[in-house]
Structure formats: C-alpha cells, structure tokens
Amino acid sequence: MNSLESQILLISIPFTYGFVGWVTNWLALKMTFYPLRFWGIPPFFGWQGIIPRKADKIGSKFVEVITERLLNVKDLVLKLDPNLAEKEILPSLEPIIQKATTQFANSIDPNLWNQIPAIIREEILLKIKRESGNIVKKVIKDLQVDIDSKLDIKNVVYRRLTGENVKIIVEMFQEVGGPEFKFIEKSGFIFGFLLGLVQMVFWYFFPLAWTLPVQGIIVGYLTNYLAIEMIFRPLEPKVYFGKFKYQGLFLKRQKEVSQAFAKIVSEKILSPKNILEELLYGKAAVLLIEEIREQIAVQVDRLATITKPVILASGKWGKYEEARLHIAHELTEATIQNAHELEGYIGQTLKLEEVISEKMILMPPREFETILRSAFQEDEFLLILIGATLGAIVGASQILIL
C-alpha cells in the first residue's frame, strides 16, 4: 500500500466508524421493534423484535401503570350522568321500539295491534320508550355502584396491547419516544466519528488488522450505551463545565411525552368503543344482558294491564308469555346494537386523554421515567449488545475490504 493510499485509509477511519455507529444503532432499533412475529425456525434460529417478544410482560406493566397510577376508574364512571346517557341512546331506539312492540302484539294475534285504539297504542309506545330509557339509566347507576364486577379495565388494557394487538405496543413506543429513537440513530454517527478519531491515531502507530473488529465492538457498544444514557440521564437539568445545561432528552420532553402517551391510551387502548365492548361482551356481559332483559320483561308485564282486556277478548292470552320473552329479547339486542351511540358521550365525559396527560405532566422526573423505561429497561443491555455484535461484524468486514 503506497503513501497516498495509506493517508486516504487513515482519513477514512473516522467516517467509517461514523457509518458503523450509525448503521449499528439503526439496525439495533429495527431489531428492537421488528419483526412483530417470530421470523425463522423456532425456537432458536430466527428473531422477533425485543418489544413484541416481551409484549406480555410489558403489557402487564402498562396495566399497572394505567389502571393504578394514572386512572381511578371508579371516579371516572361517577362522571357519567344517567339522564344524559339516556338522551344519547333513545333516539336510535325509537324506530326499533315501535317495530318490536307491533311485532309483540301481532305475535299474539295478527290483528291485535290494529284493534287497540290509537290513543292507547301511543301510550304503550311512550311507556316502552320511557322504560327503555330507565333501563339505560339503571345500567349506568349499577356501574357506578359496582364497577369492578361489570367492567374489567385491566383486561381491556392487557388485551389491547398483547396477542394480535402487539403492534399497538410497538406504535406506542415509536410515537411516544420518536425523537429519542431518532437521537439514538443519528448519535451513532457522531459518537462513531469521535471514536474513529481515536482509532485513526491508534491505527497510525499500530496498523493491526485484528483491531478493526475489536474497535467495531467498542464503537457499537459505546454508541448505544451513550445514546441511552443521554436520553434518560440526568433526571434533573444539570450544568456541565460551568456553562452547558443538560437534562435527559426524554425527561426534558415530559409534557410532549405525556400528551402523546395519553392520546394513544384514550384512542387505541381505553377508547369508548373498547370500554363498551368489554361491558357488552366481556366477563360480566351475560349478567348485564340478562339484567337488561329482565327489566324489559318487567316493564312489558306492567304494560300488559293496558292491553289485557283486548288480549283476553282475542282469546290469545296463552301466547302472551312467549311474546313477552320475544320482545324482551328484541329490545335487549337493540339496546346492545345501538350502544355505540354512547361512544361520543362517554369520550367527552370521561376525558381520559386530559386526565392521563395532566397526571403525567405533574409527576416528579424519577416516577415519570419509570412509566415507559421500566417496561423494557432489563432489555436495554440486550439492545447495547446487539449494537456491539453488529459493530464486530462491520469491523470484521473491513479486514476483507483492506
């Protein structure tokens, strides 16, 4: 190798290690999040992103954080006004009430509904509508008295972050820590370049090929380690060299991080839709639906006093019990199918995004840091080792190039 080639090689070392630092950090981040599912030949030959692989454990951590440190579910449910909930859902139930009531009467006798005077038909429909509203109010009040047996919030959070929903947990880290992950990626080049300057001096005096993979390991390890440290430390703003003020990037963005985290929780995890689905299809769904059905049946019995003379005159009283169960079923199903009408009201009333964001913003730095970092902190060392391994591979490839 002539003198010019040696000089070019020497000058290229900082840039080469800058590239090594960047590519190792970039790959390490990609391997942290992807693939979402195990790729390769299980159980050992392949890879799954660190966060997707730990989704169950991370999901459990977030269940604790969200339901015990950020939200008081009982207090939130008390914000719901049964009367306003009734007003939200009743308009969508009106046409179904009319149809079900007509079917109820005609199932006893095809001409029964028409035989009932118009003024009595209107009174029947008005009472069923009013009683349907009362049922909605009763369900809300029952929730407020005993929320734990009706709504498993912990289950909602866990299911929305694990299994088929593992991508949400990845999106959460990427959106909440987006700038920090970009910093890790970009800082790889800066730290790698600076370490490359040291390697340049070392190579000038000791041009030994075997040092390249060793230096690759050091660069890959240190670039990831320094980047993570600069994200989370120091917790409080600190002055260095009497002039430069610095605080961990994640802590410095506490307000923005809190808002992003709260938005994801309120829209993708504890959204009104997910809450209603848990109520209607979760652990207490059978009991809740049965309660609604029983209440409707009770109201139908009350209304029977109005129609009893006509039913008796038709000689069809024997069919009443069957028809009563049918209308109870119809109106129960209608209430469930139209429960989505409450989504907007629940969202506006609970204001989960605002509640979570405010609590997180007011947290002391150490407590705030643990909300996201504690979920994957034990895997940070694995992330650093990935960087070191990739650095070794790049360093070894330099031997072949040289």
Side-chain angles (χ1 to χ4, degrees):
M1 186 180 293
N2 60 42
S3 178
L4 179 60
E5 290 175 333
S6 297
Q7 289 176 7
I8 292 174
L9 173 63
L10 202 62
I11 293 172
S12 71
I13 287 176
F15 295 96
T16 301
Y17 277 90
F19 173 76
V20 171
W22 172 78
V23 77
T24 54
N25 283 17
W26 180 81
L27 282 172
L29 285 174
K30 291 298 179 185
M31 292 175 73
T32 299
F33 296 114
Y34 301 106
L36 297 179
R37 300 281 179 265
F38 186 88
W39 184 86
I41 303 173
F44 303 114
F45 298 100
W47 184 258
Q48 182 180 14
I50 294 173
I51 288 178
R53 181 164 52 84
K54 296 277 188 170
D56 286 350
K57 189 169 186 178
I58 295 173
S60 297
K61 287 274 188 180
F62 279 132
V63 167
E64 179 186 339
V65 167
I66 293 170
T67 62
E68 296 180 16
R69 295 167 65 182
L70 297 178
L71 293 177
N72 185 318
V73 180
K74 291 181 180 179
D75 289 346
L76 287 174
V77 175
L78 288 174
K79 291 182 179 180
L80 296 174
D81 185 330
N83 294 313
L84 292 178
E86 175 193 21
K87 289 180 181 179
E88 289 290 327
I89 198 173
L90 268 189
S92 62
L93 290 178
E94 284 188 22
I96 297 161
I97 289 171
Q98 174 131 12
K99 179 182 176 182
T101 307
T102 304
Q103 289 177 343
F104 163 64
N106 291 340
S107 65
I108 298 172
D109 186 285
N111 298 314
L112 179 59
W113 188 247
N114 291 329
Q115 292 174 11
I116 299 173
I119 190 169
I120 295 180
R121 290 203 300 263
E122 289 178 11
E123 184 179 354
I124 291 172
L125 289 173
L126 183 63
K127 285 194 173 185
I128 290 182
K129 177 182 173 183
R130 185 167 61 243
E131 296 305 334
S132 296
N134 287 337
I135 291 165
V136 172
K137 288 190 286 187
K138 184 179 186 303
V139 169
I140 298 293
K141 289 175 181 176
D142 287 349
L143 281 176
Q144 292 173 334
V145 172
D146 185 18
I147 183 66
D148 293 330
S149 67
K150 300 287 195 304
L151 181 62
D152 190 346
I153 287 290
K154 291 186 177 182
N155 185 50
V156 178
V157 176
Y158 184 77
R159 283 193 296 105
R160 298 305 299 180
L161 293 172
T162 58
E164 293 301 316
N165 296 313
V166 69
K167 63 180 180 180
I168 294 180
I169 212 166
V170 170
E171 289 173 9
M172 174 179 284
F173 277 105
Q174 290 178 329
E175 290 183 34
V176 171
E180 285 71 39
F181 293 126
K182 281 290 182 184
F183 172 78
I184 290 177
E185 184 181 325
K186 292 177 180 178
S187 67
F189 180 85
I190 298 170
F191 293 144
F193 184 87
L194 294 175
L195 291 168
L197 291 175
V198 176
Q199 169 66 2
M200 182 177 69
V201 174
F202 184 87
W203 182 267
Y204 180 79
F205 292 102
F206 307 100
L208 303 173
W210 64 266
T211 64
L212 294 174
V214 174
Q215 290 292 332
I217 292 173
I218 294 172
V219 170
Y221 183 94
L222 286 180
T223 52
N224 277 10
Y225 173 78
L226 290 172
I228 291 174
E229 279 298 298
M230 291 181 70
I231 287 173
F232 294 109
R233 292 293 182 273
L235 293 173
E236 302 282 357
K238 190 174 180 180
V239 177
Y240 293 89
F241 307 110
K243 185 176 182 181
F244 301 103
K245 188 177 182 181
Y246 187 81
Q247 181 183 19
L249 299 177
F250 186 75
L251 286 304
K252 190 176 182 180
R253 288 198 320 115
Q254 182 163 347
K255 182 177 180 180
E256 293 87 344
V257 169
S258 300
Q259 291 170 340
F261 184 82
K263 184 176 179 64
I264 293 170
V265 172
S266 64
E267 292 181 358
K268 297 185 178 182
I269 300 174
L270 284 179
S271 66
K273 180 176 183 292
N274 293 341
I275 291 173
L276 283 171
E277 283 183 357
E278 178 64 23
L279 271 175
L280 300 174
Y281 307 107
K283 71 169 188 176
V286 175
L287 295 176
L288 181 65
I289 291 170
E290 186 59 34
E291 183 178 333
I292 295 172
R293 189 169 291 150
E294 285 178 5
Q295 287 299 315
I296 291 174
V298 168
Q299 303 312 323
V300 171
D301 281 335
R302 291 179 182 176
L303 295 170
T305 58
I306 299 175
T307 57
K308 188 174 182 179
V310 180
I311 297 174
L312 286 173
S314 70
K316 304 289 184 178
W317 185 259
K319 290 187 177 182
Y320 170 74
E321 181 62 24
E322 181 183 342
R324 169 181 171 274
L325 294 174
H326 178 74
I327 191 174
H329 177 77
E330 286 287 314
L331 290 178
T332 301
E333 290 300 312
T335 303
I336 293 169
Q337 292 297 322
N338 288 273
H340 66 274
E341 298 291 340
L342 292 172
E343 287 181 21
Y345 169 69
I346 290 174
Q348 293 170 7
T349 304
L350 299 187
K351 297 180 179 178
L352 290 182
E353 183 175 345
E354 183 180 318
V355 171
I356 294 172
S357 178
E358 286 179 356
K359 282 196 175 182
M360 288 183 69
I361 289 172
L362 295 175
M363 282 181 172
R366 185 170 295 280
E367 184 180 356
F368 173 75
E369 178 213 22
T370 62
I371 284 185
L372 288 180
R373 193 180 187 189
S374 64
F376 69 99
Q377 192 166 16
E378 65 184 59
D379 294 310
E380 285 179 8
F381 185 64
L382 179 57
L383 176 63
I384 293 169
L385 285 181
I386 290 172
T389 303
L390 293 172
I393 294 170
V394 175
S397 67
Q398 280 187 294
I399 297 176
L400 299 175
I401 294 171
L402 291 174

